[in-house]
Amino acid sequence: METLITDSPREAAAILNQGKTVAFPTETVYGLGAAIDSPKALAEVFKAKGRPPDNPLIVHISTPEELPRVASTLSPEAKLLISRFFPGPLTLVLPKSSAVPYAVTAGLDTVGVRCPAHPIAHEFLQCCHSPIAAPSANRSGRPSATSWEAVQNDLEGRISVILRGAPSRIGLESTIVDCSGPHPLMLRAGAVTLEELQAVVPSITPAGKTIKNEAPKSPGLKYPHYAPKAAILTHEQGDAPQEAGPASAWIGLGTPPSGIAIAKTCASLDEYARELFSFFRYCDREAIHAIYCELPPNQGLGRAIRDRLKRAEQS
Ligand code: TXA
Ligand code: MG
């Protein structure tokens, strides 16, 4: 299939409305969208990514007013989080409405819903006739795409359209909070931090701290993630290796080890988050074998960066 590249949200939406797949920019990462009422386009999303069918997709809406189309009920906690963080880099897991097919939720009775805060995404979603199911626009297992060029590298010839925008401002996927159960759980850390969530709903806890042997709350978390071709080797701050081999790279906030071929020192956590996945992809193009990554402290945005680094290391 030929992949059209366009700057027009209207053109991209018009093609999507004909049952096609469209990659589009958001402030977190690029998404690969299909209309929730197009079984054919939904199947193409799974096929283009090589995504396991039991991993549910997040549904994207242009404004919070569209929530009743996709969610059947909102808990008091969900209402508080929506009024504070929508639109933004937050996904809520909610009881699904009958309009959301099980092909989107991978058989679950809940649906992940997000309303991006991004002008191009907003215009695109407004021109779409239905809510849009969209995973990150990368081949399954790879680092998420934070630029249209990264989408093109992974998915050209496999999707109908790339809606071109600037590189993603945040660079890590949305925070996910499950508001479908008796007690709200943070399933994935992101740019809306645990501290910010708890300031609005104090009872939110990270999902890791729930009962062992429980079925995984977020089906996607069991799969490999965020992995470049190079091996990822994490270290705590101040514990960088003394020296590293010739085909190695380093990213972090402090001082790189000596002998590193490519070093990226980030001035802030924001920059670390924004640059991480594009750095992984750059290292692959430069045939790097090992990427040393400094782990930031486990708080604020550092929690999300640590989470992605640890998952990439295990992949
Ligand atoms: O920032 C983001 O969230 C990006 C942009 C495009 O919106 N999307 C994204 O999608 O990261 P994806 O598919 O790469 O990750 C979605 C995660 C998966 O781990 C999936 O298992 C989880 O959300 N998820 C989706 N629906 C769920 C549900 N009903 N219950 C639990 N987890 C769910
Ligand atoms: Mg993804």
Side-chain angles (χ1 to χ4, degrees):
M1 131 185 3
E2 203 180 324
T3 302
L4 173 82
I5 298 173
T6 178
D7 296 325
S8 163
R10 276 176 185 283
E11 183 183 23
I15 298 172
L16 181 134
N17 288 334
Q18 294 162 14
K20 308 284 190 194
T21 51
V22 174
F24 61 99
T26 85
E27 76 276 29
T28 57
V29 299
Y30 276 67
L32 173 58
I36 62 168
D37 58 5
S38 173
K40 188 175 135 280
L42 291 170
E44 266 178 34
V45 164
F46 283 92
K47 189 170 162 219
K49 282 186 59 103
R51 184 177 180 98
D54 65 347
N55 194 356
L57 309 180
I58 293 173
V59 173
H60 295 68
I61 52 177
S62 67
T63 72
E65 284 74 57
E66 284 182 56
L67 269 162
R69 286 180 75 174
V70 293
S72 62
T73 50
L74 299 178
S75 66
E77 291 88 358
K79 285 181 181 159
L80 285 169
L81 294 171
I82 289 159
S83 60
R84 171 70 180 79
F85 298 112
F86 273 30
L90 178 67
T91 295
L92 293 183
V93 173
L94 303 165
K96 80 173 192 69
S97 75
S98 57
V100 180
Y102 286 116
V104 168
T105 67
L108 299 174
D109 288 313
T110 58
V111 60
V113 186
R114 186 174 163 227
C115 178
H118 187 286
I120 297 174
H122 179 75
E123 192 180 344
F124 167 67
L125 292 168
Q126 276 204 315
C127 296
C128 292
H129 295 158
S130 102
I132 298 302
S136 51
N138 52 279
R139 295 297 293 270
S140 233
R142 301 259 302 140
S144 295
T146 56
S147 67
W148 71 269
E149 293 96 333
V151 178
Q152 185 182 38
N153 268 319
D154 272 21
L155 298 174
E156 178 150 54
R158 300 175 154 265
I159 62 177
S160 297
V161 179
I162 298 173
L163 173 56
R164 189 157 50 176
S168 300
R169 176 171 59 79
I170 292 170
L172 298 179
E173 308 80 359
S174 61
T175 307
I176 304 181
V177 176
D178 184 351
C179 285
S180 68
H183 168 95
L185 288 172
M186 186 182 75
L187 303 182
R188 180 171 75 185
V192 176
T193 66
L194 181 61
E195 294 83 351
E196 288 169 329
L197 293 168
Q198 287 174 337
V200 178
V201 176
S203 61
I204 294 180
T205 53
K209 292 191 182 142
T210 51
I211 311 148
K212 275 197 186 134
N213 304 329
E214 240 184 349
K217 289 279 183 203
S218 197
L221 296 181
K222 66 177 185 278
Y223 292 108
H225 266 90
Y226 320 122
K229 292 181 192 114
I232 301 295
L233 301 159
T234 65
H235 65 83
E236 296 291 342
Q237 288 186 313
D239 280 345
Q242 287 301 304
E243 50 186 305
S248 59
W250 177 90
I251 185 167
L253 295 161
T255 313
S258 58
I260 284 285
I262 305 172
K264 169 103 195 136
T265 301
C266 304
S268 64
L269 288 172
D270 284 350
E271 184 184 349
Y272 199 163
R274 189 168 59 242
E275 296 294 332
L276 182 63
F277 290 147
S278 83
F279 185 74
F280 282 179
R281 286 172 177 269
Y282 171 62
C283 288
D284 278 352
R285 292 195 298 277
E286 298 293 313
I288 292 293
H289 291 295
I291 308 173
Y292 295 92
C293 304
E294 183 186 298
L295 294 163
N298 198 29
Q299 59 193 44
L301 185 57
R303 187 184 297 271
I305 298 170
R306 274 185 89 94
D307 168 73
R308 304 308 190 273
L309 291 174
K310 293 278 192 188
R311 287 182 200 285
E313 186 170 36
Q314 285 157 19
S315 290

PDB file of all heavy atoms in Angstrom, residues 49 51 135-138 142 144 173 188 225-226, ligand 2:
ATOM      1  N   LYS A  49       1.270  -2.922  12.790  1.00  0.00           N
ATOM      2  CA  LYS A  49       2.192  -2.860  13.934  1.00  0.00           C
ATOM      3  C   LYS A  49       2.798  -4.212  14.274  1.00  0.00           C
ATOM      4  O   LYS A  49       3.817  -4.283  14.956  1.00  0.00           O
ATOM      5  CB  LYS A  49       1.442  -2.373  15.200  1.00  0.00           C
ATOM      6  CG  LYS A  49       1.199  -0.895  15.265  1.00  0.00           C
ATOM      7  CD  LYS A  49       0.594  -0.525  16.617  1.00  0.00           C
ATOM      8  CE  LYS A  49       1.453  -0.896  17.806  1.00  0.00           C
ATOM      9  NZ  LYS A  49       2.178   0.178  18.448  1.00  0.00           N
ATOM     10  N   ARG A  51       0.960  -6.153  16.168  1.00  0.00           N
ATOM     11  CA  ARG A  51       0.538  -6.085  17.572  1.00  0.00           C
ATOM     12  C   ARG A  51      -0.254  -7.331  17.958  1.00  0.00           C
ATOM     13  O   ARG A  51      -1.158  -7.742  17.223  1.00  0.00           O
ATOM     14  CB  ARG A  51      -0.337  -4.851  17.764  1.00  0.00           C
ATOM     15  CG  ARG A  51      -0.785  -4.596  19.213  1.00  0.00           C
ATOM     16  CD  ARG A  51      -1.572  -3.310  19.247  1.00  0.00           C
ATOM     17  NE  ARG A  51      -2.085  -2.910  20.527  1.00  0.00           N
ATOM     18  CZ  ARG A  51      -1.514  -2.016  21.345  1.00  0.00           C
ATOM     19  NH1 ARG A  51      -0.359  -1.484  21.001  1.00  0.00           N
ATOM     20  NH2 ARG A  51      -2.085  -1.665  22.466  1.00  0.00           N
ATOM     21  N   PRO A 135      -3.151   2.960  18.940  1.00  0.00           N
ATOM     22  CA  PRO A 135      -1.945   2.650  19.706  1.00  0.00           C
ATOM     23  C   PRO A 135      -0.828   3.577  19.253  1.00  0.00           C
ATOM     24  O   PRO A 135      -1.012   4.359  18.313  1.00  0.00           O
ATOM     25  CB  PRO A 135      -1.644   1.204  19.299  1.00  0.00           C
ATOM     26  CG  PRO A 135      -2.122   1.123  17.883  1.00  0.00           C
ATOM     27  CD  PRO A 135      -3.315   2.072  17.780  1.00  0.00           C
ATOM     28  N   SER A 136       0.323   3.516  19.895  1.00  0.00           N
ATOM     29  CA  SER A 136       1.481   4.279  19.431  1.00  0.00           C
ATOM     30  C   SER A 136       1.870   3.803  18.031  1.00  0.00           C
ATOM     31  O   SER A 136       1.736   2.618  17.707  1.00  0.00           O
ATOM     32  CB  SER A 136       2.634   4.115  20.419  1.00  0.00           C
ATOM     33  OG  SER A 136       2.875   2.744  20.693  1.00  0.00           O
ATOM     34  N   ALA A 137       2.353   4.739  17.197  1.00  0.00           N
ATOM     35  CA  ALA A 137       2.572   4.465  15.773  1.00  0.00           C
ATOM     36  C   ALA A 137       3.974   3.921  15.512  1.00  0.00           C
ATOM     37  O   ALA A 137       4.762   4.515  14.777  1.00  0.00           O
ATOM     38  CB  ALA A 137       2.314   5.729  14.958  1.00  0.00           C
ATOM     39  N   ASN A 138       4.276   2.777  16.123  1.00  0.00           N
ATOM     40  CA  ASN A 138       5.576   2.119  15.941  1.00  0.00           C
ATOM     41  C   ASN A 138       5.327   0.649  15.691  1.00  0.00           C
ATOM     42  O   ASN A 138       4.258   0.137  16.014  1.00  0.00           O
ATOM     43  CB  ASN A 138       6.416   2.277  17.221  1.00  0.00           C
ATOM     44  CG  ASN A 138       5.646   1.837  18.455  1.00  0.00           C
ATOM     45  OD1 ASN A 138       4.835   2.587  18.999  1.00  0.00           O
ATOM     46  ND2 ASN A 138       5.870   0.597  18.888  1.00  0.00           N
ATOM     47  N   ARG A 142       9.081  -1.918  19.427  1.00  0.00           N
ATOM     48  CA  ARG A 142      10.058  -0.853  19.162  1.00  0.00           C
ATOM     49  C   ARG A 142       9.764   0.375  20.033  1.00  0.00           C
ATOM     50  O   ARG A 142       8.676   0.512  20.583  1.00  0.00           O
ATOM     51  CB  ARG A 142       9.990  -0.444  17.679  1.00  0.00           C
ATOM     52  CG  ARG A 142      10.262  -1.581  16.715  1.00  0.00           C
ATOM     53  CD  ARG A 142      11.659  -1.536  16.175  1.00  0.00           C
ATOM     54  NE  ARG A 142      11.974  -0.297  15.493  1.00  0.00           N
ATOM     55  CZ  ARG A 142      13.168   0.343  15.587  1.00  0.00           C
ATOM     56  NH1 ARG A 142      14.103  -0.132  16.381  1.00  0.00           N
ATOM     57  NH2 ARG A 142      13.379   1.446  14.909  1.00  0.00           N
ATOM     58  N   SER A 144       8.438   3.946  20.895  1.00  0.00           N
ATOM     59  CA  SER A 144       7.339   4.701  20.299  1.00  0.00           C
ATOM     60  C   SER A 144       7.893   5.781  19.379  1.00  0.00           C
ATOM     61  O   SER A 144       9.012   6.264  19.573  1.00  0.00           O
ATOM     62  CB  SER A 144       6.484   5.343  21.394  1.00  0.00           C
ATOM     63  OG  SER A 144       5.859   4.348  22.165  1.00  0.00           O
ATOM     64  N   GLU A 173       4.631   8.035  26.404  1.00  0.00           N
ATOM     65  CA  GLU A 173       3.199   7.773  26.298  1.00  0.00           C
ATOM     66  C   GLU A 173       2.457   8.295  27.527  1.00  0.00           C
ATOM     67  O   GLU A 173       3.033   8.465  28.605  1.00  0.00           O
ATOM     68  CB  GLU A 173       2.930   6.277  26.132  1.00  0.00           C
ATOM     69  CG  GLU A 173       3.703   5.610  25.009  1.00  0.00           C
ATOM     70  CD  GLU A 173       5.130   5.277  25.404  1.00  0.00           C
ATOM     71  OE1 GLU A 173       5.525   5.577  26.555  1.00  0.00           O
ATOM     72  OE2 GLU A 173       5.844   4.734  24.555  1.00  0.00           O
ATOM     73  N   ARG A 188       0.182   2.952  34.232  1.00  0.00           N
ATOM     74  CA  ARG A 188       1.410   3.334  33.516  1.00  0.00           C
ATOM     75  C   ARG A 188       1.759   4.758  33.925  1.00  0.00           C
ATOM     76  O   ARG A 188       0.890   5.629  33.928  1.00  0.00           O
ATOM     77  CB  ARG A 188       1.181   3.247  31.997  1.00  0.00           C
ATOM     78  CG  ARG A 188       2.398   3.612  31.158  1.00  0.00           C
ATOM     79  CD  ARG A 188       2.203   3.294  29.681  1.00  0.00           C
ATOM     80  NE  ARG A 188       1.321   4.248  29.023  1.00  0.00           N
ATOM     81  CZ  ARG A 188       0.914   4.141  27.752  1.00  0.00           C
ATOM     82  NH1 ARG A 188       1.307   3.122  27.009  1.00  0.00           N
ATOM     83  NH2 ARG A 188       0.119   5.045  27.234  1.00  0.00           N
ATOM     84  N   HIS A 225       8.844  -4.003  25.181  1.00  0.00           N
ATOM     85  CA  HIS A 225       8.506  -2.615  24.881  1.00  0.00           C
ATOM     86  C   HIS A 225       9.739  -1.758  24.665  1.00  0.00           C
ATOM     87  O   HIS A 225      10.761  -1.999  25.291  1.00  0.00           O
ATOM     88  CB  HIS A 225       7.762  -2.000  26.077  1.00  0.00           C
ATOM     89  CG  HIS A 225       6.289  -2.090  25.957  1.00  0.00           C
ATOM     90  ND1 HIS A 225       5.580  -3.141  26.421  1.00  0.00           N
ATOM     91  CD2 HIS A 225       5.389  -1.241  25.403  1.00  0.00           C
ATOM     92  CE1 HIS A 225       4.298  -2.938  26.183  1.00  0.00           C
ATOM     93  NE2 HIS A 225       4.154  -1.796  25.569  1.00  0.00           N
ATOM     94  N   TYR A 226       9.575  -0.738  23.839  1.00  0.00           N
ATOM     95  CA  TYR A 226      10.507   0.397  23.787  1.00  0.00           C
ATOM     96  C   TYR A 226      11.923  -0.012  23.400  1.00  0.00           C
ATOM     97  O   TYR A 226      12.863   0.711  23.683  1.00  0.00           O
ATOM     98  CB  TYR A 226      10.550   1.128  25.139  1.00  0.00           C
ATOM     99  CG  TYR A 226       9.213   1.277  25.817  1.00  0.00           C
ATOM    100  CD1 TYR A 226       8.985   0.769  27.083  1.00  0.00           C
ATOM    101  CD2 TYR A 226       8.172   1.931  25.161  1.00  0.00           C
ATOM    102  CE1 TYR A 226       7.739   0.902  27.693  1.00  0.00           C
ATOM    103  CE2 TYR A 226       6.936   2.058  25.762  1.00  0.00           C
ATOM    104  CZ  TYR A 226       6.717   1.549  27.028  1.00  0.00           C
ATOM    105  OH  TYR A 226       5.507   1.675  27.632  1.00  0.00           O
TER     106      TYR A 226
HETATM  107 MG    MG B   2       2.861   1.382  22.330  1.00  0.00          MG
END
